[in-house]
Amino acid sequence: MSLRPEDRELLEGLAEYTRAGDPVFVAGLSNGVAFAPVEYRRRDRAQLGSALAAAGLALAFMVLVVGLLGTCTQGPL
């Protein structure tokens, strides 16, 4: 099935936009190695950052709780 000239032009425009916007994805398609599109890679990095921040906050909270429990359980000197 042959494409109409308008459709072919649209596909060429999309291909050029993808080459310019996400060269890693295009290289993966050329080499046969699957890479996620840039939108998914950004989301994964954002989720990792959020998880690390939450883990840091939980650790800080636990240190605070253990410190408070340690000072409350000490008897008079």
Side-chain angles (χ1 to χ4, degrees):
M1 179 174 168
S2 180
L3 293 175
R4 295 180 309 193
E6 305 89 43
D7 294 335
R8 188 178 309 272
E9 186 177 315
L10 178 63
L11 285 176
E12 287 298 321
L14 288 172
E16 185 57 38
Y17 176 78
T18 303
R19 275 187 225 101
D22 195 357
V24 174
F25 179 70
V26 172
L29 287 177
S30 300
N31 297 334
V33 178
F35 282 105
V38 70
E39 294 85 11
Y40 296 139
R41 293 192 311 263
R42 285 184 189 144
R43 184 190 65 202
D44 291 344
R45 284 192 301 254
Q47 288 175 344
L48 176 62
S50 296
L52 288 174
L57 285 173
L59 180 63
F61 180 74
M62 290 304 295
V63 167
L64 254 168
V65 167
V66 168
L68 286 175
L69 289 176
T71 59
C72 291
T73 58
Q74 288 180 350
L77 295 175

